[in-house]
Amino acid sequence: MPKNYLLIYSEQLATEIELLCQSLSKIKDCSNTVFQIRKSSSSVFANITEAQYPQSLPDMLSKLKIARKECFETESWLKLLFGTGQISEEIFKEKRNLCGRIRRILTASCITIEKKIEQKAVTLIVSGRLDTQTAPELENELDAVVVGIKDLT
């Protein structure tokens, strides 16, 4: 079975940030920034984990987009910690690079899923299999395609 690098990297990020927060809390008052970065980095891992067992492709897409948003947030808290001198440049760059790696995989994954959803809907429309029985199952997928088509016009 191939390795799931997205899951591996997101767990690594959550673990390393948690350990960083623990060390920061020992030497300084536990600030809001420490709380926020802990929360956002663990959300990246949690949403990617949940996306492994989605109810549908749109559900998976939603969780991965949330994870990507939380990854950007984690990076912003890292910048603040670095800018205020609470972490070294080395730690900042190491964690920022890990966030960037995760974001790139998430972006590629989201693009792939969006294409699959669109292709599935187009196939059903073209094949004439879109009827009252298949429509409810594909409601979310079709909504995504309709929004995309409206954006083009």
Side-chain angles (χ1 to χ4, degrees):
M1 186 160 138
K3 288 186 177 183
N4 184 337
Y5 286 103
L6 187 55
L7 198 55
I8 291 167
Y9 293 149
S10 64
E11 182 177 10
Q12 178 184 349
L13 177 69
T15 302
E16 289 180 6
I17 295 293
E18 176 60 32
L19 294 172
L20 176 65
C21 290
Q22 288 175 14
S23 69
L24 288 172
S25 295
K26 287 178 185 174
I27 50 177
K28 298 181 177 141
D29 289 333
C30 192
S31 70
N32 182 54
T33 307
V34 171
F35 172 77
Q36 293 293 341
I37 195 169
R38 177 183 277 145
K39 188 175 160 191
S40 63
S41 65
S42 62
S43 180
V44 172
F45 177 53
N47 278 289
I48 290 170
T49 301
E50 286 181 33
Q52 304 306 302
Y53 304 98
Q55 295 175 0
S56 63
L57 281 177
D59 180 49
M60 177 187 279
L61 181 61
S62 174
K63 288 183 181 359
L64 294 180
K65 283 185 173 184
I66 291 168
R68 184 173 58 184
K69 177 190 75 71
E70 294 290 341
C71 200
F72 275 111
E73 183 179 339
T74 299
E75 227 178 310
S76 69
W77 293 119
L78 283 167
K79 288 177 189 173
L80 186 59
L81 287 171
F82 175 63
T84 57
Q86 294 184 62
I87 60 172
S88 68
E89 184 175 5
E90 180 184 348
I91 290 173
F92 168 68
K93 286 181 176 180
E94 179 186 314
K95 307 301 181 241
R96 183 194 61 191
N97 290 344
L98 183 55
C99 283
R101 190 178 309 141
I102 293 167
R103 270 195 347 270
R104 286 188 296 279
I105 297 171
L106 284 167
T107 298
S109 297
C110 288
I111 290 169
T112 300
I113 293 167
E114 287 168 343
K115 287 179 182 178
K116 284 182 180 182
I117 290 169
E118 184 177 332
Q119 184 59 44
K120 186 175 182 180
V122 168
T123 300
L124 287 171
I125 291 168
V126 170
S127 69
R129 293 186 315 179
L130 186 62
D131 57 25
T132 55
Q133 290 179 334
T134 57
E137 296 171 14
L138 295 171
E139 185 175 343
N140 291 331
E141 287 93 338
L142 292 175
D143 285 347
V145 172
V146 169
V147 168
I149 290 170
K150 285 181 182 175
D151 289 343
L152 294 175
T153 57

